[in-house]
Amino acid sequence: LFSPDSSGAVGSSDVVVLLHGFPTSSYDWSKIWEGLTQRFHRVIALDFLGFGFSDKPRPHGYSIFEQASIVEGLLRHLGLRHQRINLLSHDYGDTVAQELLHSGSLTQLLLYLSKFHFFPGLGQFLGPTLSPPRQNFGISNSFSNNFSFSVLQYINQRKKHRERWVGALMSTSVPLHLIYGPLDPVNPHPEFLQLYRKVLPMSTVSVLDDHISHYPQLEDPTGFLNAYLNFINSF
């Protein structure tokens, strides 16, 4: 398991855990990493099993449930059982965070959990499911194709467990925030935003500039970071 971990702001005890999307890695957070270290005492990311620098076992039945267990195990290993945790998630990572939220293991493990950040990816629950782009992982095409197919089973898992994972968001008392790029092809504007606000009226929302798409933390790191820190600092 590859897991970058940085110490940051002096005088703060806050921890932020970053959960990346498909088909990428923890590098998705590179452009806001320094900004996060100026606000949080500790910034932690990981490459999910099968992604980035983490192992890619085959054959293997990749599942959201397993990834959630890995996150839980990592936090326990890092001694964060009694730390206040903020979750910042994207795409595939949103679903992992929702499973942690639903299972209750996160709130038991992290006794001072107070914030849950959520952004693009929910459209694959609320509306039509769109397949994410394929990517070569720097290995042979045959392995890459088989691996991509295996990991893409998470889309079927989203369909199967829609009630479980959307229900977790609808019933939680943990504050939610959406940072949205209007040009996102996975979560089309304005339909997605209208549906999101209808299903999750308790969530706050930040809408970035019109040209921002599905990777706002890379496309507009300053706007994204400001939106996120405004949410965090509102508590």
Side-chain angles (χ1 to χ4, degrees):
L1 176 68
F2 177 73
S3 176
D5 184 352
S6 293
S7 296
V10 176
S12 171
S13 61
D14 288 354
V15 176
V16 61
V17 177
L18 314 176
L19 306 179
H20 71 82
F22 180 95
T24 50
S25 70
S26 57
Y27 188 76
D28 285 355
W29 309 108
S30 61
K31 290 188 176 182
I32 63 168
W33 191 272
E34 183 178 352
L36 291 174
T37 63
Q38 294 174 12
R39 169 59 178 80
F40 292 95
H41 172 67
R42 198 166 178 183
V43 182
I44 299 165
L46 76 156
D47 289 351
F48 288 123
L49 183 68
F51 295 79
F53 289 109
S54 290
D55 290 347
K56 302 172 181 63
R58 61 168 178 168
H60 187 77
Y62 293 90
S63 77
I64 294 298
F65 300 100
E66 179 184 35
Q67 304 285 21
S69 295
I70 289 172
V71 173
E72 187 179 350
L74 172 64
L75 296 176
R76 186 183 295 110
H77 172 74
L78 294 174
L80 297 175
R81 179 178 295 274
H82 301 298
Q83 284 284 345
R84 171 176 169 169
I85 296 291
N86 302 278
L87 278 181
L88 178 56
S89 64
H90 178 229
D91 190 79
Y92 184 91
D94 293 340
T95 316
V96 176
Q98 286 168 268
E99 172 53 27
L100 290 166
L101 198 61
H102 177 273
S103 67
S105 59
L106 187 64
T107 49
Q108 292 171 14
L109 176 65
L110 308 168
L111 301 181
Y112 302 105
L113 175 70
S114 62
K115 303 179 185 69
F116 178 82
H117 171 83
F118 187 92
F119 69 91
L122 186 63
Q124 294 174 10
F125 287 100
L126 304 182
T129 299
L130 302 178
S131 298
R134 301 182 63 164
Q135 174 169 317
N136 190 305
F137 290 81
I139 43 187
S140 69
N141 285 336
S142 59
F143 176 65
S144 178
N145 292 342
N146 291 335
F147 169 72
S148 296
F149 175 79
S150 179
V151 176
L152 274 169
Q153 294 305 307
Y154 83 92
I155 293 179
N156 292 331
Q157 293 168 30
R158 280 178 162 179
K159 292 179 180 178
K160 181 178 180 180
H161 302 290
R162 180 188 184 280
E163 183 176 343
R164 175 188 182 97
W165 289 329
V166 175
L169 292 177
M170 296 176 68
S171 61
T172 187
S173 59
V174 176
L176 306 174
H177 189 70
L178 169 75
I179 301 178
Y180 180 63
L183 205 59
D184 186 353
V186 179
N187 303 309
H189 186 271
E191 293 82 8
F192 166 76
L193 203 53
Q194 293 169 351
L195 190 54
Y196 181 91
R197 284 173 164 151
K198 178 179 179 181
V199 174
L200 300 174
M202 70 291 192
S203 173
T204 52
V205 176
S206 296
V207 180
L208 301 181
D209 291 344
D210 289 345
H211 67 282
I212 304 303
S213 182
H214 188 63
Y215 284 87
Q217 73 274 41
L218 293 174
E219 299 170 53
D220 183 11
T222 299
F224 178 91
L225 186 64
N226 287 340
Y228 182 58
L229 294 182
N230 285 340
F231 167 65
I232 293 296
N233 293 334
S234 68
F235 294 91

